[in-house]
C-alpha cells in the first residue's frame, strides 16, 4: 500500500479526512427537528411520559394493549401481558419508575423500571372499582398503594361490596384493607401534606365507609387507621362530634378535605385538616353555600385552598372563587362570576412554578345569564392576578383586552397555559370585549408570566413547551394540517417543518411533564370515518445545530414586579428565576432533565404576611381582624380584680411565610378580662307570645336547617317556621316563633308546599296560576306562573317534586272547569323551577316522579294515572315514561292507586277475574312488576282495602282489611320477603278505622320495634257492640308479638286495681294512630333513642280517652318497661335529642307546661302564660334537636285572636355546657354518655336481630346539652348465635301455638330450587324448613332454623360437582337466594337498591288520598314508619273525600277552630303523604 512521505501530502490528507468527517451523516448538525411516525390500530385512550425520561407508555383500550417507547415515540413495542386485556393504565404520580396496568378481573401488572419489565399481581376475588379511581398512592413510599375493588357474588352480577386492598411492599403481596369502603386515601397522598407525627402516622389511611348497619349514603362516615385497619377510629370533625353523610375525601396539597351532606338539602359542609388529627369545619360567607355537585376544589397552594362555589346552576353555571386561610377553615371571596361548565370544571389555572399568578375567565353579562335558565349565551372575559387572587385585572395586547380559552374547553392534554418553563405562557383567544369561538381565535404568548402578551400565530393552534421554554412547538388546530411550527426565541419567529404522513387532524401534543425534554409527542388522525388512521409522531430537536447554552446566555428574571419593574414579595420572599434569554442561539440541553428552580430573597414582614388568628375574623371592610365571639379565658389570668391579660393581637404570621423583621402584628397585646366573659345566663325559661288576627291556624311547617347547612351551629339560631291562617295570610319566623313577619301580603295563599327533599325550598300556591317560592328558607322570594290553576281535587297535590333535582316540578292543574267541557286534571313538567312548562299528560288523576334520592338511573321516570282514552268515566291506567312521555309504557289498565315506598313500588289494581276484588303487584326498579303472593291460609275472598305500613326493613308490612263493617273495621298485618312479592302472616285482628288508618307505629331510631292495637272482640264488634282493643308490641320486626307489661304504680304512686303480674288480664294499652288529632305527634323520636311516650290506661282493654281514665306513660328502654308520668292526657315533644322533654295538657285549658331534664324521671312545672290557653299543638323542629318549643292555641275567654308561645330553654343553667363525647372512648370517666344496648324482652342476652347494638345515650343526670346531632349508633359490638327470634315463618307456613312454624294443612312447601334457575352456576340448594331469616338479622351459627334438619340438594346438571365438593354456599345464602330472587332480574336490581339506594321513605296512603311525598325528613335516621293509609279501596269501604274531610276536621278536638295540615307531616314516622292538598278545618276553607 502506498503511503505519502511528504509532510505536505500528510497535511492535505488530514484536511480531506476532517472535511469528510464534518459532512458525514453521523456528525452533521441539522437545521430542523427530526420527525418520525408510527401507525396504531386504534385511538390511544391514554399515554404519558415517565418524568425525566424519553420513555412513553400508550394504552389502546379497544385492543386491550399497552405499548412502550424508550425514544419519545419513535419506536414502539407491545407490553407482554399474555392473553389478558389491558383495561386501564396508571402512572405513579410520585415515582417516575413505576406504572400499573389494570385488567378487567383480578389480575393486574406493575413495573418498577419504566416498563422494561412487568410483573403480575392478584386482587383476591375482586375486580377494579367502577365508581372511583382504582389506585391511590403514598407520596413518600411508592411501595404503598391502595386498590379500590369490588367483590361480587352470583357470577359478578349482584351483592357487590366495594372493598379496598393494599400493598406495602410494591405488590409482592396484596391484602384486604377494609370492606364497604367508598374511597380511601393515604394521609401522605401529596408531598406537601404533613401529619401531626409524620413517623407515627406514616401509614395513616382515611376512608369513607358505609354506616355500621346501613348502606344508605346518609350513614357514610370517615374511618381512620394507622395499621392498615387492624383497628380503626372515627375522627371527630365538628368539635368532639363525628359527622355522617360523608360524600368524598381528597388530599389537596397540604390539606385533607372531606365533604358531607345532610339529608334533605343539597348544601354541603366541608371539613378540613392540615395534620390528619384535628379537623375544622370550613366557614364560608353566609351568602355563599356549598352545594353538592356545585363546588370545585381547585389547584391550591401549600398555604391555602382555592374553591369555586357555583352560584348559578346549569345549563349556564357560574361561580365565586374563594381562598382559605392557612389552615383551610375560613374562606374569603376573591372574584365573582367565574366561568364553570356543567361538569364542575372551572376556568382557573395557576401559572406553574410562579407563586401567586392566576388566570381566570369571568362572565361579563352575569345578570342576564343568571335569570335566563340557559337561554342567554355567556360573554367571557379573561382576568389575571399576580397576588394570589386578591386583585384581578385584564390581560392585554398593547392597549387591547385579551381573552383566552381555558380549562372548560380543553383542546390538548396537560395544563392549558403554562409549564415549568419560567414565565412563558401561551393561549388561544382573541382581543376585544369578550371571548369568541375557538375557531375565531389566534395563538398568543407572554414571556413575563402574563403581564404583557403578543400574537404568536394566526388561527388556533395546539402548543407545547420544551427545553425549559427555549423550544416552543405548535400545530394548526382548526382542521387537518401537514406541518408543525416551532420557535426558538419565545415565539417571536416561527419555523415550519412538514409531517411525513401528509395531512392529519391534531388530537394531542405533549412532552415530558417538566417541559425539560427536547422531544415532543404528537397524536393525529389521518382521514375519517371507518378509514381513519391513528398516527403518532416523534418530534426530536436534539440533533439541531444550536449549542449548549453558557452563562452569558441566561438572565435573572422575576415574575412579581411593582409598577417600577422591581421584584415584589410573596409569602415573605422575592422569587427569582434563571432562564435562557429569548434571543440566545442555544439550547439548555440538561441531560438530567433538571427543572429550573427559583432563588429566594427574604423580605421584611408587612401586613400582607399575617392572617386572622383563631377566634378572630376579618372586619366587614376586610381591613382588620376583629374578635369573633368570646375569647378563651387563660387559666388564672383573670382572677380577682385583674382587669387585663396578655392575649392574641388577632393576627398570626401565615404558616410557611418566610419574612423576617419589619412589622410584628402577631405580638401579644393587653385585652380586657371582660372580653372573656360569657353572656349572662338568666337561668330561666324565656317565653315570647305572639298574637295573630285570625280564628285558626290552617297549616305550619318547619324549614329546618340541616347539619351541613351554612352557618349551622351547635345551638342553631336559624329555626325557620312558616304558617298560614284561615284568612290565607302567611307568616314566617326565623327564630322559632320568637318573632314573626307577614310575607306575601295581599296574596291569597291556598296552600303551602315545603319541598320534601330539600328543606330550604318551599312553594306557596295561590288560588290563581301564580306560585311564590323561596329556595333559601325565606331569605328571598320569587314567583312563576303555572300553566293552569291548581287542581280542585282536595285529595290531590298540585305539585310533585323530584328527589335529586330541586327545580324539577310536575304541576297538576284543573282544566275546562269554568267552561262546558269536562272539568279534569292535566299535568305539566318544568325543569327550571317553573320558568318553562311542557305538557306531560291530559286527563290524569296524578303524575309523580318515581326516582328517589340517590336511586340508580332513570332520572326522568314518571308515573301517571291517566283515564283510558282521556275519558273520565273510563278506568285509570298506570303509565310510565322516562323521556317525558315521548314514549310510554302501560303497566296496568285498571288501577286504584300506587304507593312509592323506600324500597318498593306497590300497585293496587282491580282483579281481572273478580272486579269486586283487588290485587297487589310490587316492583323494585319501577319497570318490572310481579304479583304479590299472599299467605295461602290467608282467606279473604274479596280484598277490599290495603294499607302499606312500612318498607324500610327490607320487607313490606301491609295491612289487609278483613272486616269492613263500619266502626268495626280490622284486618291482618302481613309481611313480605325482600322483594315485596311473597307474604307471610304477622298478626291478625289489627285495628283500623273507617278512613283506612291503622293502629300501627314503628319506634323511630331503633330496629324492629313496633306497636299495634288489635280488636279482641271481633264477633261482638261486628254485631255493633263496639271494639275492645288491646295493645301489643314486637321487638323483632313482626316475627313475634306480645302484650305490654303494665307499670306497677300509677302516676300518684298507687297500685292499679288489676293484677299487673297477670298480663293477659292486666296490661298497658295505648291510644294509637286512629285516634290521633295531629299525625305528627308520634310516640318516639329517632334522636331520642329508646324513649317513647303515649297516652293510655292499665287494664284488660283500652278505655275511652279522657281525663279520668287515661294517663301519660313513658318508656326508656324501647318499650320493655313503662312508667306512668302524669294523670290525664298530655301532648309531648322531645328537645335537644331527648335531653329535654316538654309536656302540656291536651284537652283542657292550662297556663303551665312540665319539663324533664332526666328522661322523664322527674318533672318541673313552668308557668308560661298569665291566662289559661287551649293548646292545640306543641311543636319543635323535626329533628327534635332544638332548645326551643312552640305552643299553638287560643287563650281562654278569647274568641278572636290566636296565639303562639315560644319556650326557649337555652338560658337554663343545666344546659350551658356542651356534653363531652369521645367516639373512640365513649365511656371514659369524663364522658357525659353511656353505651346502651337494646334487647329482646324474652332474651337473656342483649342480642337483637342477631347482634348486640350499642347506642350513645346521654347520662340523664348530666347538666349539659347535646348540641350537634349525635350519631347514636356507636357500634355493632358483636354478632350473636342464631335463635328463634331471628326467624319468621316461611311462605305456606304459619305460627303454631307453641311458637314453631308449621306447614299449612293441604299446602306444599315453597320451591327453593328456583335459585338454580336464577343462577345456572349454582351447585346446590336447601329444602325448606318452615323458617326464613328476618332480613334485619345478622346472626351467625347457633340454631340456624332455615338450615336446621334441612337437606342440601344438587341443582340439575350439577350432580357431579355437588358430590365432588360439599363446600358450596351456606344453606342460609342458598335460602336467601331462593327468597330474594323469585322474580328474576328485578330482584337483582332490588338487592342493589337495598345496598345503594338512598330512597324516599314514609307511609303511603293511596286510593282516595294522593301520593308520595311527605314525611321524608332529615331527622329520620332510620326511615321507620308509624302507619300508612289505604293503598286501595272499593265501594264497600266508605272513603269518600267528604267523610274523610269531616274526620280530619276534628284533629284539634272539641270542634275548636285550631287546625293544621297532615300533609307533608314532619314525618317522625308519619305518612309520606296523608292529605297532600287537604286542610284540617272547616269544609269551606278552600273558598278564599
Amino acid at each position: 500500500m502506498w503511503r505519502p512521505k511528504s509532510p505536505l501530502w500528510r497535511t492535505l490528507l488530514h484536511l480531506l479526512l476532517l472535511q469528510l468527517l464534518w459532512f458525514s451523516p453521523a456528525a452533521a448538525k441539522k437545521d430542523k427537528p427530526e420527525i418520525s411516525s408510527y401507525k396504531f390500530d386504534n385511538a390511544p385512550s391514554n399515554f404519558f411520559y415517565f418524568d425525566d425520561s424519553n420513555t412513553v407508555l400508550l394504552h389502546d383500550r379497544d385492543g386491550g394493549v399497552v405499548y412502550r417507547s424508550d425514544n419519545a415515540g419513535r419506536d414502539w413495542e407491545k407490553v407482554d401481558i399474555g392473553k389478558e386485556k389491558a383495561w386501564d393504565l396508571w402512572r405513579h404520580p410520585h415515582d417516575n419508575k413505576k406504572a400499573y396496568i389494570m385488567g378487567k378481573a383480578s389480575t393486574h401488572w406493575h413495573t418498577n423500571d419504566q416498563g422494561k419489565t412487568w410483573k403480575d399481581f392478584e386482587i383476591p376475588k375482586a375486580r377494579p372499582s367502577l365508581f372511583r379511581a382504582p389506585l391511590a398512592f403514598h407520596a413518600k413510599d411508592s411501595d404503598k398503594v391502595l386498590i379500590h375493588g369490588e367483590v361480587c357474588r352470583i357470577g359478578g352480577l349482584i351483592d357487590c361490596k366495594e372493598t379496598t386492598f393494599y400493598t406495602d411492599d410494591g405488590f409482592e403481596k396484596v391484602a384486604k384493607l377494609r370492606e364497604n369502603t367508598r374511597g380511601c386515601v393515604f394521609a401522605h397522598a401529596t408531598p406537601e401534606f404533613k401529619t401531626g407525627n409524620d413517623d407515627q402516622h406514616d401509614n395513616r389511611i382515611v376512608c369513607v365507609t358505609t354506616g355500621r348497619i346501613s348502606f344508605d349514603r346518609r350513614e357514610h362516615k370517615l374511618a381512620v387507621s394507622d395499621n392498615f385497619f387492624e383497628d380503626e377510629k372515627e375522627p371527630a370533625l365538628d368539635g368532639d362530634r363525628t359527622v355522617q353523610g360523608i360524600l368524598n375525601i381528597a388530599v389537596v396539597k397540604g390539606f385533607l378535605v372531606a365533604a358531607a351532606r345532610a339529608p334533605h338539602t343539597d348544601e354541603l359542609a366541608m371539613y378540613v385538616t392540615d395534620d390528619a388529627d384535628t379537623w375544622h369545619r370550613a366557614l364560608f360567607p353566609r351568602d355563599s353555600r356549598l352545594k353538592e355537585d356545585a363546588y370545585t376544589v381547585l389547584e391550591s397552594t401549600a398555604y391555602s385552598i382555592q374553591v369555586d362555589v357555583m352560584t348559578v346552576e346549569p345549563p349556564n353555571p357560574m361561580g365565586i372563587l374563594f381562598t382559605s386561610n392557612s389552615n383551610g377553615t375560613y374562606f374569603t371571596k376573591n372574584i365573582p362570576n367565574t366561568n364553570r361548565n356543567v361538569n364542575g370544571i372551572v376556568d382557573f389555572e395557576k401559572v406553574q412554578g410562579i407563586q401567586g399568578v392566576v388566570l381566570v375567565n369571568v362572565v361579563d353579562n352575569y345578570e342576564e345569564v343568571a335569570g335566563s335558565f340557559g337561554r342567554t349565551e355567556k360573554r367571557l372575559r379573561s382576568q389575571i392576578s399576580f397576588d394570589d387572587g386578591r386583585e384581578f385585572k385584564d390581560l392585554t395586547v398593547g392597549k387591547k383586552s385579551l381573552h383566552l380559552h381555558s380549562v372548560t374547553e380543553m383542546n390538548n392534554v396537560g395544563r392549558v397555559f403554562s409549564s415549568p418553563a419560567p414565565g412563558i405562557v401561551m393561549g388561544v383567544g382573541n382581543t376585544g370585549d369578550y371571548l369568541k369561538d375557538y375557531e375565531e381565535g389566534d395563538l398568543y404568548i407572554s414571556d413575563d408570566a402574563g403581564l404583557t402578551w403578543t400574537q404568536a400565530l394566526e388561527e388556533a393552534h395546539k402548543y407545547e413547551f420544551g427545553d425549559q421554554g427555549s423550544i416552543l412547538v405548535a400545530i394548526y388546530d382548526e382542521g387537518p394540517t401537514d406541518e408543525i411550527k416551532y420557535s426558538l426565541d419565545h415565539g417571536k419567529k416561527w419555523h415550519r417543518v412538514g409531517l411525513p404522513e401528509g395531512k392529519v387532524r391534531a388530537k394531542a401534543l405533549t412532552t415530558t411533564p417538566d417541559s425539560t425534554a427536547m422531544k415532543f409527542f404528537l397524536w393525529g388522525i389521518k382521514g375519517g370515518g371507518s378509514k381513519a388512521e391513528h398516527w403518532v409522531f416523534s418530534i426530536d430537536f436534539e440533533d439541531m445545530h444550536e449549542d449548549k447554552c453558557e452563562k452569558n446566555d441566561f438572565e435573572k428574571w422575576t415574575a412579581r414586579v411593582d409598577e417600577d419593574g422591581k421584584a415584589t414579595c410573596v409569602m415573605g420572599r422575592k422569587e427569582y428565576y434563571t432562564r435562557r434569554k429569548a434571543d440566545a442561539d442555544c439550547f439548555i440541553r440538561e441531560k438530567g432533565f433538571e427543572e429550573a428552580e427559583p432563588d429566594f430573597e427574604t423580605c421584611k414582614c408587612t401586613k400582607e404576611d399575617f392572617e386572622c388568628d383563631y377566634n378572630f375574623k376579618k372586619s366587614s371592610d376586610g381591613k382588620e381582624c376583629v374578635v369573633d365571639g368570646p375569647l378563651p379565658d387563660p387559666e388564672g389570668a383573670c382572677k380577682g380584680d385583674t382587669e387585663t391579660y396578655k392575649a392574641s393581637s388577632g393576627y398570626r404570621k401565615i404558616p410557611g411565610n418566610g419574612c423576617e423583621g419589619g412589622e410584628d402584628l402577631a405580638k401579644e397585646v393587653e385585652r380586657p378580662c371582660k372580653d372573656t366573659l360569657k353572656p349572662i345566663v338568666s337561668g330561666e325559661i324565656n317565653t315570647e307570645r305572639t298574637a295573630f288576627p285570625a280564628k285558626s291556624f290552617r297549616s305550619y311547617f318547619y324549614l329546618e336547617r340541616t347539619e351541613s347547612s351554612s352557618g349551622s351551629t351547635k345551638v342553631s339560631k336559624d329555626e325557620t317556621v312558616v304558617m298560614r291562617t284561615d284568612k290565607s295570610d302567611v307568616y314566617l319566623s326565623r327564630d322559632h316563633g320568637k318573632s314573626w313577619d307577614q310575607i306575601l301580603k295581599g296574596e291569597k295563599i291556598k296552600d303551602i308546599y315545603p319541598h320534601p327533599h330539600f328543606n330550604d325550598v318551599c312553594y306557596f300556591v295561590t288560588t290563581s296560576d301564580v306560585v311564590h317560592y323561596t329556595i333559601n328558607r325565606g331569605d328571598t322570594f320569587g314567583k312563576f306562573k303555572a300553566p293552569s290553576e291548581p287542581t280542585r281535587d282536595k285529595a290531590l297535590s298540585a305539585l310533585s317534586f323530584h328527589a335529586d333535582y330541586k327545580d324539577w316540578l310536575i304541576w297538576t292543574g284543573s282544566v275546562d272547569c269554568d267552561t262546558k267541557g269536562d272539568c279534569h286534571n292535566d299535568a305539566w313538567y318544568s325543569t327550571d323551577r317553573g320558568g318553562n312548562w311542557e305538557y306531560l299528560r291530559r286527563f290524569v288523576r296524578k303524575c309523580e316522579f318515581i326516582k328517589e334520592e340517590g336511586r340508580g338511573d332513570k332520572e326522568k321516570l314518571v308515573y301517571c294515572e291517566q283515564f283510558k282514552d282521556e275519558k273520565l268515566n273510563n278506568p285509570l291506567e298506570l303509565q310510565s315514561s322516562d323521556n317525558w312521555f315521548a314514549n310510554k309504557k302501560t303497566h296496568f289498565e285498571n288501577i286504584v292507586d300506587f304507593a312509592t315506598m323506600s324500597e318498593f313500588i306497590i300497585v293496587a289494581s282491580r282483579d281481572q277475574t273478580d272486579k269486586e276484588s283487588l290485587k297487589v303487584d310490587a316492583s323494585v326498579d319501577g319497570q318490572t312488576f310481579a304479583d304479590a303472593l299472599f299467605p295461602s291460609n290467608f282467606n279473604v275472598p274479596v280484598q277490599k282495602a290495603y294499607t302499606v305500613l312500612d318498607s324500610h326493613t327490607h320487607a313490606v308490612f301491609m295491612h289487609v282489611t278483613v272486616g269492613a263493617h263500619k266502626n268495626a273495621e280490622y284486618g291482618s298485618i302481613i309481611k313480605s320477603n325482600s322483594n315485596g312479592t311473597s307474604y307471610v302472616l304477622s298478626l291478625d285482628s289489627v285495628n283500623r278505622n273507617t278512613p283506612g288508618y291503622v293502629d300501627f307505629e314503628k319506634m323511630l331510631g331503633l330496629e324492629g320495634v313496633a306497636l299495634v292495637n288489635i280488636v279482641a272482640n271481633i264477633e261482638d264488634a261486628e254485631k255493633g257492640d263496639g271494639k275492645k282493643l288491646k295493645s301489643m308490641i314486637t321487638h323483632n320486626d313482626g316475627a313475634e308479638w306480645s302484650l305490654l307489661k303494665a307499670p306497677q304504680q300509677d302516676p300518684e304512686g298507687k297500685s292499679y286495681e288489676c293484677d299487673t303480674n297477670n298480663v293477659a288480664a292486666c296490661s298497658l294499652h295505648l291510644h294509637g294512630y286512629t285516634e290521633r288529632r295531629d299525625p305528627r305527634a308520634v310516640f318516639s323520636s329517632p334522636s331520642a333513642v329508646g324513649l317513647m311516650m303515649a297516652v293510655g290506661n292499665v287494664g284488660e282493654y283500652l278505655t275511652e280517652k279522657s281525663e279520668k281514665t287515661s294517663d301519660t306513660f313513658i318508656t326508656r328502654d324501647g318499650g320493655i318497661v313503662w312508667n306512668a308520668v302524669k294523670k290525664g292526657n298530655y301532648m309531648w315533644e322531645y328537645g335537644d335529642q331527648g335531653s329535654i322533654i316538654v309536656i302540656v295538657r291536651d284537652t283542657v285549658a292550662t297556663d303551665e307546661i312540665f319539663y324533664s331534664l332526666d328522661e322523664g324521671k322527674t318533672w318541673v312545672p313552668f308557668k308560661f302564660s298569665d291566662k289559661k290557653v287551649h293548646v292545640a299543638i306543641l311543636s319543635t323542629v323535626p329533628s327534635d334537636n332544638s332548645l326551643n318549643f312552640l305552643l299553638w292555641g287560643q287563650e281562654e275567654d278569647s274568641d278572636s285572636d290566636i296565639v303562639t308561645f315560644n319556650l326557649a330553654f337555652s338560658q337554663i343553667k343545666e344546659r350551658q355546657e356542651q356534653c363531652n363525647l369521645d367516639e373512640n372512648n365513649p365511656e371514659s370517666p369524663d364522658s357525659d354518655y353511656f353505651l346502651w344496648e337494646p334487647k329482646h324482652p324474652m332474651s337473656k342476652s342483649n342480642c337483637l336481630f342477631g347482634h348486640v347494638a350499642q347506642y350513645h345515650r346521654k347520662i340523664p343526670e348530666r347538666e349539659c346539652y347535646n348540641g350537634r346531632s349525635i350519631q347514636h349508633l356507636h357500634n355493632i359490638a358483636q354478632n350473636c348465635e342464631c335463635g328463634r327470634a331471628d326467624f319468621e315463618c316461611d311462605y305456606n307456613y304459619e305460627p303454631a301455638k307453641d311458637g314453631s312454624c308449621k306447614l299449612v294443612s293441604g299446602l306444599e312447601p315453597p320451591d327453593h330450587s328456583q335459585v338454580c334457575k336464577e343462577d345456572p352456576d349454582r351447585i346446590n340448594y336447601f329444602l325448606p324448613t318452615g323458617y326464613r331469616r328476618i332480613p334485619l338479622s345478622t346472626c351467625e351459627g347457633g340454631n340456624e332454623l332455615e338450615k336446621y334438619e334441612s337437606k342440601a340438594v344438587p341443582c340439575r346438571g350439577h350432580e357431579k360437582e355437588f358430590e365432588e365438593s360439599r363446600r358450596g354456599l351456606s344453606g342460609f345464602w342458598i335460602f336467601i337466594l331462593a327468597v330474594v330472587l323469585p322474580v328474576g332480574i328485578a330482584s337483582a336490581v332490588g338487592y342493589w337498591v337495598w345496598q345503594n339506594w338512598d330512597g324516599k321513605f314514609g307511609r303511603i296512603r293511596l286510593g282516595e288520598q294522593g301520593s308520595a311525598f311527605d314525611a321524608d325528613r332529615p331527622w329520620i335516621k332510620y326511615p321507620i314508619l308509624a302507619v300508612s293509609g289505604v293503598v286501595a279501596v272499593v265501594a264497600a269501604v266508605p272513603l269518600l273525600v267528604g267523610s274523610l274531610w269531616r274526620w280530619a276536621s276534628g284533629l284539634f278536638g272539641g270542634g275548636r277552630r285550631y287546625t293544621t295540615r297532615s300533609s307533608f307531616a314532619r314525618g317522625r314516622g308519619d305518612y309520606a303523604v296523608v292529605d297532600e292538598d287537604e286542610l284540617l278545618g272547616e269544609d269551606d276553607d278552600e273558598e278564599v
Side-chain angles (χ1 to χ4, degrees), residues 84 128 315 955 1013 1449:
E84 299 289 340
N1013 283 337
S1449 68

Side-chain angles (χ1 to χ4, degrees), residues 1087-1140:
S1087 68
V1089 175
L1091 298 180
M1092 280 194 288
M1093 294 195 71
V1095 172
N1097 63 274
V1098 172
E1100 188 174 3
Y1101 303 108
L1102 182 65
T1103 61
E1104 182 182 359
K1105 189 175 183 181
S1106 69
E1107 284 295 307
K1108 293 182 179 180
T1109 61
S1110 301
D1111 294 336
T1112 302
F1113 299 86
I1114 191 171
T1115 177
R1116 304 178 188 91
D1117 57 7
I1120 298 175
V1121 177
W1122 291 81
N1123 298 102
V1125 171
K1126 291 288 181 183
K1127 298 289 288 184
N1129 301 326
Y1130 282 79
M1131 293 180 280
W1132 58 88
E1133 272 294 357
Y1134 305 94
D1136 190 42
Q1137 303 173 63
S1139 87
I1140 303 173

Side-chain angles (χ1 to χ4, degrees), residues 922-934:
S923 175
V924 292
D925 64 353
Q927 302 290 323
T928 305
F929 285 86
D931 290 339
L933 302 177
F934 285 3

Side-chain angles (χ1 to χ4, degrees), residues 515-560:
S515 294
T516 59
M518 302 180 68
K519 296 180 179 181
F520 297 78
F521 175 96
L522 170 65
W523 164 39
I525 297 178
K526 183 176 182 179
S530 60
K531 297 182 179 180
E533 298 175 353
H534 298 275
W535 288 89
V536 166
F537 301 88
S538 173
I539 305 168
D540 187 355
F541 286 82
E542 285 190 349
D543 290 333
M544 288 186 65
H545 56 73
E546 279 77 4
D547 293 330
K548 180 178 173 61
C549 295
E550 298 181 355
K551 184 176 182 180
N552 292 335
D553 295 313
F554 291 92
E555 65 181 354
K556 189 175 183 180
W557 174 84
T558 181
R560 300 291 300 275

Side-chain angles (χ1 to χ4, degrees), residues 986-1036:
S986 177
L987 185 64
D988 277 322
S989 308
V990 179
N991 182 53
R992 54 151 282 195
N993 62 10
T994 299
Y997 295 93
V998 179
D999 276 343
F1000 173 95
E1001 182 155 339
K1002 280 289 192 96
M1003 183 176 187
L1004 306 179
L1006 200 59
E1007 301 170 289
V1009 179
L1011 296 112
V1012 299
N1013 283 337
I1014 63 168
V1015 181
N1017 64 331
I1018 289 175
E1019 292 184 2
D1020 293 338
E1022 290 184 336
K1023 294 176 182 178
D1025 289 349
K1027 298 178 185 178
K1028 292 183 178 179
L1029 304 181
K1030 285 177 172 282
S1031 295
M1032 301 191 76
I1033 192 170
T1034 178
H1035 293 270
N1036 57 1

Side-chain angles (χ1 to χ4, degrees), residues 35 475-476 479-484 497-504:
I35 302 179
I475 185 168
Y476 178 66
T481 183
D482 58 1
E483 65 180 10
I484 66 162
V497 59
L499 294 172
E501 303 300 332
K503 287 191 174 185
V504 297

Side-chain angles (χ1 to χ4, degrees), residues 255-433:
F255 305 92
L256 179 56
V257 179
R261 176 189 168 187
H264 293 261
T265 182
D266 58 355
E267 190 171 354
L268 304 184
M270 179 187 291
Y271 298 91
V272 181
T273 178
D274 57 4
D275 62 5
D277 279 323
T278 304
W279 293 76
H280 303 277
R281 178 167 178 171
L283 300 180
F284 287 79
R286 176 178 170 79
D287 59 351
S288 301
R289 300 176 178 179
L290 290 183
K291 296 184 179 180
E292 187 172 13
D293 299 325
Y295 78 99
T296 305
V297 179
L298 302 167
E299 181 185 15
S300 302
T301 69
Y303 49 85
S304 67
I305 305 174
Q306 254 88 34
V307 174
D308 189 84
V309 178
M310 185 168 69
T311 55
V312 176
E313 298 182 358
N316 271 349
M318 295 186 293
I320 298 178
L321 178 64
F322 292 87
T323 299
S324 77
N325 61 346
S326 63
N327 67 356
T329 56
Y330 291 97
F331 283 79
T332 55
K333 292 181 183 179
N334 288 115
I335 187 169
N337 310 315
T338 51
N339 183 51
R340 304 166 57 90
N341 65 17
V342 294
N343 298 315
I345 307 300
V346 182
D347 279 345
F348 171 96
E349 183 174 301
K350 289 181 175 291
V351 173
Q352 190 172 1
I354 311 296
Q355 283 192 340
V357 183
V358 180
L359 289 99
V360 300
N361 280 345
V362 298
V363 181
D364 190 45
N365 59 333
Y366 59 91
E367 291 181 342
E368 298 173 41
V369 171
S372 71
F373 288 100
R375 296 187 296 273
T376 300
E377 186 176 352
K378 297 177 184 176
R379 292 187 175 184
L380 304 184
R381 296 181 61 86
S382 296
Q383 302 268 281
I384 190 168
S385 171
F386 292 91
D387 56 5
D388 261 339
R390 291 182 179 87
E391 295 182 3
F392 283 87
K393 61 181 181 179
D394 286 350
L395 284 68
T396 56
V397 178
K399 295 183 179 182
K400 296 179 180 179
S401 295
L402 174 66
H403 314 289
L404 300 176
H405 292 272
S406 185
V407 187
T408 58
E409 299 179 82
M410 289 290 289
N411 291 289
N412 200 7
V413 295
R415 303 178 72 88
V416 176
F417 302 120
S418 62
S419 78
I424 302 178
V425 189
M426 300 176 72
V428 172
N430 58 270
T431 58
D433 294 331

